């Protein structure tokens, strides 16, 4: 969660840092990128980038793929609300679904129902979802001392999605 990449200096700093890490795939959330900022962002990345935009001050997700990683894109699912970008691709002999998710701040299980629907319509060898889901999967482990459970219905739906698609946290 980068909490906004709309400013030129922050975009440069974050992308410089990420390029130096030499990762093959990077998933970003809360990018605050708009369609008019994408060309500037992509010119700094020097790899392939997939984006879902919303506004200059909220949401947005991106998947960045290193230029050295040979891949063939099979499909793209891009949220109009800036909450996810999901791509299917072939890397070597394997097929992957890569998804950068920025979950709603409210208890909206239907959002994860949509993710389930998208995943259910594809066949692949591997599914990798990353992001800021805006909920906690394991309250015992991650929320010691919290007064109440946030986004309980969305959490239940996401657990169902993970079980159905054999995803692990």
């Amino acid at each position: 969660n980068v909490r906004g990449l709309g400013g030129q200096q922050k975009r440069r700093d974050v992308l410089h840092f990420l390029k130096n890490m030499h990762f093959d795939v990077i998933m970003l959330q809360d990018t605050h990128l708009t369609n008019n900022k994408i060309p500037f962002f992509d010119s700094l990345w020097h790899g392939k980038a997939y984006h879902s935009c919303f506004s200059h001050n909220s949401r947005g997700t991106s998947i960045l793929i290193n230029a050295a990683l040979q891949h063939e894109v099979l499909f793209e699912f891009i949220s109009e609300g800036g909450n996810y970008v999901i791509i299917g691709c072939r890397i070597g002999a394997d097929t992957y679904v890569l998804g950068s998710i920025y979950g709603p701040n409210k208890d909206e299980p239907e959002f994860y129902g949509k993710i389930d629907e998208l995943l259910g319509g594809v066949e692949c060898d591997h599914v990798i979802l990353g992001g800021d889901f805006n909920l906690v999967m394991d309250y015992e482990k991650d929320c010691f001392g919290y007064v109440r459970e946030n986004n309980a219905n969305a959490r239940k739906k996401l657990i169902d999605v993970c079980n159905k698609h054999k995803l692990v946290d």
Side-chain angles (χ1 to χ4, degrees), residues 114-129:
K114 178 65 175 176
I115 300 299
D116 180 28
E117 180 184 315
L118 294 171
L119 293 176
V122 300
E123 288 187 35
C124 65
D125 299 312
H126 311 282
V127 176
I128 302 170
L129 301 179

Side-chain angles (χ1 to χ4, degrees), residues 70-91:
Q70 296 293 319
H71 71 288
E72 171 193 357
V73 174
L74 305 172
F75 61 83
E76 297 177 41
F77 300 131
I78 298 174
S79 163
E80 291 181 13
N83 289 99
Y84 61 81
V85 58
I86 299 171
I87 64 169
C89 61
R90 185 177 322 283
I91 301 172

Side-chain angles (χ1 to χ4, degrees), residues 5-71:
L5 292 175
Q8 182 180 10
Q9 189 59 48
K10 186 170 183 183
R11 263 196 317 272
R12 287 181 188 276
D13 290 347
V14 168
L15 287 173
H16 177 73
F17 172 78
L18 293 173
K19 281 192 264 187
N20 287 331
M21 298 303 290
H22 305 288
F23 293 127
D24 288 328
V25 177
I26 298 167
M27 298 177 188
L28 304 175
Q29 298 77 42
D30 204 18
T31 60
H32 299 188
L33 293 174
T34 57
N35 287 326
N36 63 337
K37 298 281 186 190
I38 296 298
F40 301 108
F41 183 94
D42 289 353
S43 70
L44 294 171
W45 173 240
H46 302 297
K48 187 64 180 151
Y50 305 88
H51 307 282
S52 173
C53 301
F54 184 67
S55 77
H56 73 281
N57 63 355
S58 68
R59 296 188 228 160
T61 59
S62 297
I63 298 175
L64 311 179
I65 298 184
N66 190 311
L69 182 65
Q70 296 293 319
H71 71 288

Side-chain angles (χ1 to χ4, degrees), residues 97-159:
V97 170
L98 305 173
S100 180
I101 311 293
Y102 187 51
N105 290 316
K106 300 177 198 168
D107 195 12
E108 296 182 24
E110 51 279 348
F111 173 81
Y112 295 102
K114 178 65 175 176
I115 300 299
D116 180 28
E117 180 184 315
L118 294 171
L119 293 176
V122 300
E123 288 187 35
C124 65
D125 299 312
H126 311 282
V127 176
I128 302 170
L129 301 179
D132 182 347
F133 292 79
N134 278 313
L135 54 77
V136 174
M137 294 293 285
D138 186 338
Y139 277 93
E140 296 293 320
K141 185 188 298 181
D142 298 323
C143 295
F144 180 76
Y146 278 39
V147 176
R148 67 182 174 88
E149 190 175 310
N150 292 329
N151 302 335
N153 295 315
R155 175 182 173 265
K156 288 176 191 169
K157 183 60 180 177
L158 182 56
I159 289 170

